[in-house]
Amino acid sequence: MIKVAVVGSKGRMGQAAAEAVRQAPDLQLVAAIDLGVPPTAVAEAGAEVIIDFTTPDAVMRTLRSCIGSGIHCVVGTTGFTPERLEQVRGWCAQSPSVGVLIAPNFSIGAVLMMRLAAKAAPYFESVEIVEEHHPAKIDAPSGTATLTAQLIEKARAGMQPMPDATSQEVPGARGVVVHGVHVHSVRARGLVAHQEVILGGPGETLRIRHDSLDRESFMPGVLLGVREVGKHPGLAVGLSTYLDLSGYEDLSGSRGQD
Ligand code: NAP
């Protein structure tokens, strides 16, 4: 039995993660941590692995405390900047046996959507990303969109700039440019988490779309992370590290990334 604590257990994702842990025969939920409970409560509960679905600031405090206490971390919270990832890498260097997985998207379909988009990107002149989420989402663009853009940028290295004659009289009309790719963020009631990558070439378009219709779509990936994280010391960014996606390049500087 792996002893697991869920941080942010009253949130939308935290509730789903806690339930998934309760249902898993090989996992034991030893703590459900929420605002006002000190991060040290995780160690006191005897947790071996934490799952964190909180906020960009809260997760940094939790990571620092857990990594320092030798507790493996599976993080779904988004909004990590390159500087914050570097900080986590530094903490991991001081606790070399600890595994940390930071995955902006735990849906296996979304991981494949990102990989397929990056694979297709060099064959098209134009690539843009439309991400769509529920209106309670705090960050924009989504972590998934940012990571997809990074993968596409890497895949298109050395190519001509994308054609675009539009003048931006209204700022933001063309979305934001992330890693050289236009990203458009939609926030609307009823949505969960969706993304479409639109690729365009002469006389054709290819649309690669993924829809998370329910938060349970993230749970197989979360549980995979919990079971695997202890076997992968150091920081891994993206779930693909734990999937058999060999043949794809490592972009994270540590291991696989999406
Ligand atoms: P949410 O419903 O707002 O849940 C966040 C929870 O964290 C809330 O219950 C909040 O408590 C709690 N919290 C805040 N600070 C805390 C602290 N210091 N210690 C413990 N708990 C704290 O948000 P959500 O929709 O579940 O999303 C959470 C994160 O997961 C977001 O970053 C989101 O982008 C990300 N996400 C990731 C994936 C993925 O596959 N990786 C999928 C979906 C969402 P209060 O409500 O009391 O403030």
Side-chain angles (χ1 to χ4, degrees):
M1 287 289 243
I2 304 174
K3 294 182 178 168
V4 183
V6 174
V7 186
S9 71
K10 290 191 180 146
R12 290 172 289 258
M13 288 297 291
Q15 282 181 43
E19 187 52 30
V21 172
R22 276 190 209 99
Q23 299 293 331
D26 56 332
L27 308 180
Q28 183 187 359
L29 185 68
V30 294
I33 309 287
D34 281 285
L35 210 55
V37 180
T40 48
V42 172
E44 284 157 18
E48 297 161 89
V49 179
I50 61 140
I51 301 171
D52 185 293
F53 281 105
T54 57
T55 63
D57 288 333
V59 69
M60 291 305 280
R61 288 192 292 276
T62 302
L63 279 172
R64 189 173 169 176
S65 165
C66 288
I67 295 169
S69 305
I71 299 166
H72 307 297
C73 305
V74 173
V75 176
T77 305
T78 53
F80 277 85
T81 59
E83 294 74 31
R84 285 185 171 202
L85 288 176
E86 232 11 81
Q87 204 167 8
V88 176
R89 238 173 235 124
W91 296 332
C92 287
Q94 312 213 326
S95 301
S97 61
V98 174
V100 176
L101 170 64
I102 297 177
N105 202 318
F106 276 107
S107 146
I108 288 162
V111 170
L112 291 171
M113 174 269 296
M114 285 186 260
R115 292 297 178 180
L116 294 172
K119 196 83 182 155
Y123 300 100
F124 291 86
E125 281 179 43
S126 308
V127 188
E128 302 214 0
I129 298 170
V130 183
E131 58 99 335
E132 306 169 348
H133 284 83
H134 58 87
K137 182 168 178 59
I138 294 172
D139 51 324
S142 70
T144 303
T146 301
L147 184 47
T148 311
Q150 193 181 355
L151 290 161
I152 289 170
E153 179 185 48
K154 171 106 182 176
R156 290 174 57 90
M159 287 180 65
Q160 294 288 321
M162 298 184 203
D164 184 0
T166 308
S167 64
Q168 286 207 51
E169 280 161 31
V170 180
R174 294 276 293 110
V176 292
V177 178
V178 181
H179 292 289
V181 181
H182 284 265
V183 179
H184 310 268
S185 297
V186 177
R187 297 289 175 267
R189 186 73 61 205
L191 293 172
V192 180
H194 318 258
Q195 179 168 298
E196 186 161 297
V197 181
I198 305 170
L199 303 112
E204 65 173 341
T205 58
L206 170 66
R207 291 167 187 258
I208 301 175
R209 183 176 177 91
H210 177 261
D211 298 280
S212 278
L213 305 172
D214 189 288
R215 290 190 175 82
E216 69 183 357
S217 67
F218 302 113
M219 294 309 131
V222 171
L223 297 186
L224 176 72
V226 169
R227 291 176 180 126
E228 290 290 315
V229 68
K231 301 174 199 162
H232 299 269
L235 172 64
V237 183
L239 189 61
S240 66
T241 308
Y242 299 176
L243 299 172
D244 182 14
L245 289 174
S246 50
Y248 288 102
E249 278 187 87
D250 171 7
L251 290 175
S252 67
S254 55
R255 291 194 299 268
Q257 175 164 340
D258 38 63

